[in-house]
Amino acid sequence: MTAGKRYASSTDVARLAGVSQSAVSRTFTPGGSVSAETRRKVMAAADALGFRPSIIPQIMLTNRSGLVAVIVGGLRNAFYGAVLERFATRLRDAGHQVLLVPVESDYTLDTVLEELRSYRVDAIVSGLAVLSQEVADALSAFRIPIVSCNTSVTSDWVASVDSDNRGAGRAAADWLHRCGGTRFAFLAGPEESPASRDRLDGFRAGLAALGLEPPRVINGDYTYDSGQAAVSRLFADGPADAMFCANDLVALGAMDRIRNGLGLRIPEDVMVIGYDDIPSAAWESYRLSTFDQDPEGLVVQALDLVREMSEQGPARGRVRVVEARFIPRGSTRQPMA
Amino acid sequence: MTAGKRYASSTDVARLAGVSQSAVSRTFTPGGSVSAETRRKVMAAADALGFRPSIIPQIMLTNRSGLVAVIVGGLRNAFYGAVLERFATRLRDAGHQVLLVPVESDYTLDTVLEELRSYRVDAIVSGLAVLSQEVADALSAFRIPIVSCNTSVTSDWVASVDSDNRGAGRAAADWLHRCGGTRFAFLAGPEESPASRDRLDGFRAGLAALGLEPPRVINGDYTYDSGQAAVSRLFADGPADAMFCANDLVALGAMDRIRNGLGLRIPEDVMVIGYDDIPSAAWESYRLSTFDQDPEGLVVQALDLVREMSEQGPARGRVRVVEARFIPRGSTRQPMA
DNA sequence: TTGAAAGCGTTACCAG
DNA sequence: CTGGTAACGCTTTCAA
């Protein structure tokens, strides 16, 4: 138990100012009743001592730490950076502190959760791409409000915010068909990723509704490299001219391989659609058609769920869906009239 | 003062288990002396109540919160994402919690600091691109170990970790010259950014040492868009064939504008060098020659400084420099023998 | 307006 | 090994 340096306490300030400790506390409490004279003496002493009230005892008294944990799994993807930044900003505006928790595996998650519990975090927001129902149920046992982004699992204390993955999948199918696509493919994320699965489900449903063949599917891991590899594997098995990708990074890797590796043109020979609308998607070298996941809406809904759960306690099936907006750019052709 | 839900306390567990509160505390203390029987009873009661020891009272006793604040200003740049992730992981491995603090302006910083003080954070790591000496001195007054990345300012309680910006600038000048560059330009970050200034200083020094003309300089703000705009302004004023950019994002924007806007070839007509080695720099569409800022080294040095400051207290001029490694790729020609 | 005192949940110390 | 008690720094209540 290494000890840190002792901070000036309200008692120290009181002694120096020649007033009671209560007076100091009141001085620093908005609306506290203190005479101008007392306040002056207290402030002078506080300045001299560099005093700032600690929030720690308050936490003990109120059982509210003001801490909200945000769990992320890999910040390589710029989309998570954007979402994380929004979470952090909004949480702070709402008077919370943000505990950043990077997690690599479910194993790490267990360890980490115990720590979060001992810090008495008020809520947990999870941006984990992969979260199983089992883990969600285990989490629920802690009776702490948890919001899971883009995983669809819920439990008593676990709510979920989803992008409209299925709807986007259908829209992608529609669009690619209207633009003249005939041989469809889906470059997936990890098999366990609910978001990737839902996007694929929607894509399949959309193609089926149009009476078209189901897409060929290549699995990957949401990275640029996996997009490149997926294209190689895909074309080794036969050509495709309309692909929907589980996210933008995969799509960008795919585009580069299609153009530089296969020597095909985009969108003339192959059309590509991504997901997320990360900044690079708009860059001139790519002009990737993609879905704006509305990170702002995602964050707003997530925080609203946190609030709702804190106030109302446990309940099953809390799910919010955020619309995804299609942004047509140069990686798809114009739809035919 | 909204109250949260009450957690089970060690007293609750003690009552249920029919032992003293001390016994419960010992059971949860590694190496605490408790009989097997007592431990069994305690664990049973703890499980039933969902008890987990709070760390909050410990913080009061030890004056160590275990919290380290990481201040970031804009996660749009993938480089910061990579660095942040490393900080978070390593800090957690070292037994700390990471408080993520997004800051937009010096004004926000003031507010934020008061909050961090009341949370009794053990240390602050700042990744702010812009940090003035004045702010550093003000920070120092809090007597909390602060490490500032890539800003070179220091103070009693403020240490700094820098990439070897000057050295890299010189290396860039050398390389571009050896590859046949004759008209040099520097696409800068914000004027107040010490990192950008140092890179420029080095670049200038390198060119001067070779007896070459000083580079033309266009200011920007570290974004892709500013890279595009900078190229337009630069060429409106006359051509350039060798540019060094304050960071990769700027360089990528510049490349796109050079190729698509001006119709020039890279590296045949114009050579470009960036800084950071973000993932997109390696993408096939760019193959950007750049400097690897060694984020791992940056983080390691920063955390070592945190440790040193915690142990030894204030001292002036604590600076660590991390080597930047040049990575030649396709955006520069081959050096002439 | 003021000061005294209780209480929050834990660990460390001490006597048994 | 066990249980009682002090201490941490704050806010809140209560009397003065």
Side-chain angles (χ1 to χ4, degrees), chain A residues 241 255 258-259 262-272 331 333:
Chain A
D241 64 2
M255 287 180 75
I258 289 169
R259 290 192 293 213
L262 305 177
L264 298 174
R265 292 163 306 165
I266 296 173
E268 294 83 353
D269 302 320
V270 186
M271 292 185 286
V272 180
S331 68
R333 299 193 289 274

Side-chain angles (χ1 to χ4, degrees), chain A residues 83-276:
Chain A
V83 171
L84 178 59
E85 185 171 28
R86 285 187 166 84
F87 265 121
T89 306
R90 286 189 175 272
L91 279 169
R92 294 195 58 88
D93 289 349
H96 290 99
Q97 301 295 324
V98 181
L99 224 47
L100 178 64
V101 186
V103 163
E104 274 129 34
S105 64
D106 280 14
Y107 172 71
T108 339
L109 190 57
D110 287 345
T111 328
V112 148
L113 279 168
E114 291 301 293
E115 288 175 21
L116 296 184
R117 285 225 289 158
S118 66
Y119 270 89
R120 301 299 192 237
V121 297
D122 295 336
I124 298 175
V125 175
S126 162
L128 252 36
V130 177
L131 195 67
S132 63
Q133 183 66 46
E134 293 75 47
V135 176
D137 289 337
L139 256 44
S140 205
F142 295 140
R143 322 180 88 252
I144 297 173
I146 299 178
V147 176
S148 167
C149 298
N150 260 327
T151 48
S152 354
V153 298
T154 66
S155 194
D156 272 352
W157 286 93
V158 180
S160 129
V161 185
D162 263 333
S163 185
D164 182 15
N165 295 311
R166 281 201 179 69
R170 276 191 300 268
D174 268 352
W175 191 266
L176 289 172
H177 171 63
R178 288 175 52 203
C179 296
T182 55
R183 282 186 289 254
F184 302 88
F186 181 71
L187 302 199
E191 283 191 74
E192 331 80 69
S193 165
S196 174
R197 275 209 298 249
D198 289 348
R199 287 164 201 171
L200 173 55
D201 281 355
F203 193 47
R204 276 204 178 108
L207 292 177
L210 293 166
L212 301 168
E213 300 232 326
R216 284 190 289 153
V217 178
I218 308 280
N219 276 293
D221 62 3
Y222 281 140
T223 63
Y224 172 91
D225 287 347
S226 90
Q228 292 195 304
V231 163
S232 296
R233 277 195 285 151
L234 184 71
F235 279 80
D237 212 46
D241 64 2
M243 17 203 296
F244 179 37
C245 304
N247 75 0
D248 282 352
L249 277 183
V250 169
L252 297 176
M255 287 180 75
D256 276 344
R257 179 56 52 90
I258 289 169
R259 290 192 293 213
N260 304 331
L262 305 177
L264 298 174
R265 292 163 306 165
I266 296 173
E268 294 83 353
D269 302 320
V270 186
M271 292 185 286
V272 180
I273 293 181
Y275 209 102
D276 285 349

Side-chain angles (χ1 to χ4, degrees), chain B:
Chain B
M1 203 67 39
T2 34
K5 70 165 183 301
R6 200 179 157 285
Y7 287 80
S9 71
S10 55
T11 313
D12 299 329
V13 175
R15 194 177 316 127
L16 182 59
V19 300
S20 73
Q21 182 270 329
S22 314
V24 177
S25 176
R26 277 192 296 263
T27 304
F28 282 89
T29 303
S33 60
V34 260
S35 65
E37 172 62 3
T38 304
R39 158 162 273 122
R40 195 190 54 70
K41 286 192 291 187
V42 169
M43 291 312 273
D47 281 355
L49 263 30
F51 169 77
R52 173 115 247 270
S54 168
I55 205 172
I56 308 299
Q58 263 191 64
I59 299 178
M60 285 184 41
L61 268 348
T62 60
N63 290 307
R64 290 195 73 256
S65 63
L67 261 25
V68 173
V70 177
I71 301 184
V72 298
L75 256 22
R76 316 271 153 97
N77 189 333
F79 176 70
Y80 285 110
V83 172
L84 178 59
E85 185 170 29
R86 284 185 167 84
F87 266 122
T89 306
R90 285 187 175 272
L91 280 169
R92 294 197 56 88
D93 289 350
H96 290 99
Q97 301 295 324
V98 181
L99 223 45
L100 178 64
V101 185
V103 162
E104 274 129 34
S105 63
D106 279 15
Y107 172 71
T108 339
L109 189 57
D110 287 345
T111 329
V112 150
L113 278 169
E114 291 302 295
E115 289 175 21
L116 295 183
R117 285 226 288 158
S118 66
Y119 271 89
R120 299 299 191 240
V121 297
D122 295 336
I124 298 177
V125 174
S126 161
L128 252 35
V130 178
L131 195 67
S132 63
Q133 184 65 47
E134 294 75 47
V135 176
D137 288 337
L139 256 45
S140 206
F142 295 139
R143 323 180 87 250
I144 298 173
I146 299 179
V147 175
S148 167
C149 298
N150 259 326
T151 50
S152 355
V153 298
T154 66
S155 196
D156 274 352
W157 287 92
V158 180
S160 128
V161 185
D162 263 332
S163 184
D164 182 13
N165 295 309
R166 280 200 180 72
R170 276 192 300 269
D174 267 353
W175 191 266
L176 289 172
H177 171 65
R178 287 175 53 202
C179 295
T182 55
R183 284 186 289 256
F184 302 88
F186 181 72
L187 303 199
E191 282 189 76
E192 329 81 69
S193 165
S196 173
R197 274 209 298 250
D198 289 348
R199 287 162 201 173
L200 173 55
D201 280 356
F203 193 47
R204 277 205 179 108
L207 292 177
L210 294 165
L212 300 167
E213 301 232 325
R216 283 191 287 154
V217 178
I218 309 280
N219 276 292
D221 62 3
Y222 282 139
T223 62
Y224 172 90
D225 287 346
S226 90
Q228 293 196 304
V231 163
S232 296
R233 278 195 286 152
L234 183 71
F235 279 80
D237 214 42
D241 64 4
M243 15 204 296
F244 179 36
C245 304
N247 75 359
D248 283 351
L249 277 182
V250 169
L252 297 175
M255 288 180 75
D256 276 344
R257 179 55 53 89
I258 288 168
R259 290 190 294 212
N260 303 330
L262 305 177
L264 298 173
R265 293 162 306 164
I266 296 172
E268 293 84 354
D269 303 319
V270 186
M271 292 185 287
V272 180
I273 292 181
Y275 209 102
D276 284 350
D277 192 29
I278 60 178
S280 346
W283 291 355
E284 287 186 8
S285 290
Y286 297 102
R287 307 286 311 148
L288 173 66
S289 298
T290 187
F291 289 90
D292 170 13
Q293 235 198 102
D294 188 11
E296 192 70 26
L298 183 82
V299 168
V300 168
Q301 293 295 329
L303 297 186
D304 192 58
L305 278 172
V306 165
R307 189 195 46 69
E308 181 182 324
M309 299 175 87
S310 307
E311 290 171 2
Q312 306 173 5
R316 311 234 95 188
R318 277 194 259 240
V319 177
R320 301 277 174 88
V321 173
V322 177
E323 292 308 312
R325 189 170 53 91
F326 182 63
I327 303 179
R329 294 203 184 98
S331 68
T332 45
R333 301 194 288 274
Q334 293 296 318
M336 307 185 261

Side-chain angles (χ1 to χ4, degrees), chain A residues 1 20 22 26 33-35 38 60-61:
Chain A
M1 201 69 40
S20 73
S22 318
R26 278 192 296 261
S33 62
V34 260
S35 66
T38 303
M60 284 183 42
L61 269 346

